[in-house]
Amino acid sequence: MERGAYMDIKSLHTFLKVADEKSISRVAGQLFISQPALSLQIRKLEESFGHKLLIRTNKGVQLTEAGQILEAHARSILTIYNQAFEEANKLFGDRHVIRIDSNITLATYALPCAVYEAQAQAQFKDYYFDLSFSTVNPVEKNIINGMSDVGYVHKKSEYHDIRYVKIGSDRLILAASKEFSVPERLTLEELKRYKLIQLNDKFNERKPLMESLHCDISDFNIAISLDSTESAKTAVFKGFGLSFLPASSVKKELSTGLLKEVTIEDFAEEYPVYLCYLKENESNPRLKPFLDYLKDRKTLDFC
C-alpha cells in the first residue's frame, strides 16, 4: 500500500479513540461497527504508516513506540483540522453548515430541489447547505475523511462505519429526439442497428447496463462516448443517435416532448438511491434534525 494512502482524518480519530480507551472492542461498540472491522482499519493504518502501532496485552491494547509518536502528531493534526473547520464555519455566522456530497447526476437533477424543500422548513431556517459532487473519491470516503456530512449514492459499499438508508430510486431509459426515426418499441437485436451515444465509464453505469441487456458493449454501434449527461443529451437532441440516460436527467425534456422514451423489450433498469452518513453522527446535534427529516420523508424528489 502506498504510504499515507489510509492516513485520513477519520482513521486518525479512530486510532486516538483506541489509544484513549485501550480497547478495540469498546471503541467498536462506541462507533457501531464490528470488532473485526475496526481491527481492519487499524491494520490498514499500520500498513500506511509503515509501523506497528498497537500491541495486545492482558489489560487491553497499548501503543508501541511508533504508536506513541503517531498519537502525539495525530492530536496536533486533529486540533489544527478542527480549528480550520470552526473558522470556516464562522463565515456563515451562527448558521449550521451541512455538507452534502453525491455523484454528478444526483447533484444536478435531484439535490437542488430536495435541499430547497428542506430550507423551506422552519426547523432549518438557520441551516446552510453546501452541495458538491465527487469526481475522484467515493462519496463515502469524503464522509469518512470529514469533507462531507451526508451523501447520496446508488450502491452500498463495504464501509462498516457508514449507515445506508434507501430514500428513492431512479432508472435508465433509452432516449431519442422527437424527430429521430425509431419505433416506440425495439427488440435487443433491433437496437443493435442504431447508433448509440454512451456515457464514459466513470458514471459506473456501463457494466450494470450491459448485464441487464445480457450483452457486451462491443455488440453495439457506439457513435460517440461523452463525459457528461448534459453533453449526451445535446447529442441526442441533435439526432446523433440514442442514449441510455437516467430518467431523472431527462424528466423535463420527456414531459415537454423534446425527447421521447424508446422501450426495449424485456429491459428494466431501476436502481436505488441511498442516503449515507457516519453511524456515529446519528446523535450529532447539528446533523440529527436533518437526518431525521430525510429519513422520515423516505423519498427523494427529482427536479
Side-chain angles (χ1 to χ4, degrees):
M1 179 183 292
E2 180 183 352
R3 181 160 296 182
Y6 204 73
M7 194 73 64
D8 54 46
I9 295 297
K10 178 61 180 177
S11 62
L12 291 178
H13 184 263
T14 300
F15 167 70
L16 290 178
K17 275 184 171 290
V18 174
D20 291 338
E21 296 288 345
K22 297 181 173 57
S23 170
I24 289 180
S25 60
R26 189 178 303 126
V27 173
Q30 294 172 357
L31 298 180
F32 304 102
I33 61 176
S34 67
Q35 186 172 334
L38 179 54
S39 296
L40 179 61
Q41 286 187 28
I42 297 298
R43 187 160 63 251
K44 287 183 177 180
L45 182 60
E46 289 177 329
E47 292 174 359
S48 179
F49 193 57
H51 298 279
K52 191 170 183 61
L53 302 173
L54 301 172
I55 54 175
R56 295 180 182 273
T57 70
N58 293 333
K59 297 181 180 180
V61 294
Q62 293 183 351
L63 296 176
T64 63
E65 289 188 21
Q68 293 173 14
I69 293 173
L70 179 59
E71 178 193 21
H73 288 285
R75 294 192 189 281
S76 298
I77 291 170
L78 289 179
T79 297
I80 294 171
Y81 174 82
N82 289 331
Q83 289 173 346
F85 184 75
E86 291 175 3
E87 288 179 20
N89 280 347
K90 288 179 181 178
L91 297 173
F92 304 98
D94 295 329
R95 303 177 76 182
H96 296 293
V97 179
I98 305 292
R99 299 161 299 170
I100 305 173
D101 196 7
S102 75
N103 63 29
I104 188 170
T105 300
L106 290 173
T108 303
Y109 304 107
L111 294 186
C113 291
V115 168
Y116 179 80
E117 289 193 5
Q119 286 182 316
Q121 307 298 313
Q123 61 180 318
F124 300 124
K125 63 182 179 65
D126 294 326
Y127 279 67
Y128 174 85
F129 297 97
D130 183 12
L131 304 183
S132 62
F133 61 86
S134 291
T135 57
V136 179
N137 288 332
V139 169
E140 294 95 333
K141 192 67 174 177
N142 287 338
I143 293 174
I144 290 172
N145 288 346
M147 298 173 62
S148 303
D149 297 306
V150 299
Y152 289 87
V153 296
H154 289 306
K155 183 179 179 180
K156 295 181 180 180
S157 298
E158 295 299 321
Y159 293 95
H160 299 283
D161 40 4
I162 294 286
R163 178 85 68 201
Y164 293 91
V165 179
K166 183 180 178 182
I167 58 168
S169 62
D170 200 357
R171 64 188 181 96
L172 283 180
I173 68 165
L174 183 63
S177 68
K178 63 179 181 180
E179 294 90 2
F180 196 86
S181 179
V182 60
E184 293 182 357
R185 190 176 186 87
L186 292 173
T187 65
L188 182 58
E189 289 304 313
E190 290 170 337
L191 173 62
K192 294 177 182 179
R193 298 200 294 266
Y194 290 86
K195 291 183 178 180
L196 280 184
I197 301 157
Q198 75 168 3
L199 291 175
N200 286 345
D201 209 26
K202 71 177 183 179
F203 289 88
N204 299 317
E205 293 170 350
R206 185 185 303 171
K207 183 178 179 180
L209 173 61
M210 292 301 108
E211 289 176 349
S212 297
L213 292 172
H214 306 291
C215 292
D216 186 84
I217 192 66
S218 61
D219 296 332
F220 294 92
N221 181 11
I222 304 299
I224 188 172
S225 181
L226 299 171
D227 64 358
S228 76
T229 304
E230 285 300 309
S231 60
K233 285 167 60 175
T234 299
V236 172
F237 286 143
K238 297 292 185 179
F240 296 160
L242 310 174
S243 184
F244 284 99
L245 296 170
S248 59
S249 69
V250 292
K251 179 180 178 181
K252 180 179 179 181
E253 290 80 6
L254 290 174
S255 65
T256 58
L258 293 175
L259 293 180
K260 59 186 178 183
E261 179 179 356
V262 179
T263 301
I264 303 298
E265 292 183 6
D266 301 320
F267 170 77
E269 179 63 13
E270 184 171 299
Y271 45 89
V273 178
Y274 294 100
L275 169 72
C276 59
Y277 53 88
L278 285 175
K279 294 177 181 177
E280 64 184 60
N281 279 339
E282 289 182 312
S283 58
N284 183 305
R286 177 175 62 92
L287 294 175
K288 188 177 186 303
F290 185 59
L291 292 176
D292 289 344
Y293 167 78
L294 295 175
K295 289 186 287 186
D296 288 343
R297 284 175 55 82
K298 297 180 180 178
T299 186
L300 180 64
D301 296 324
F302 291 100
C303 297

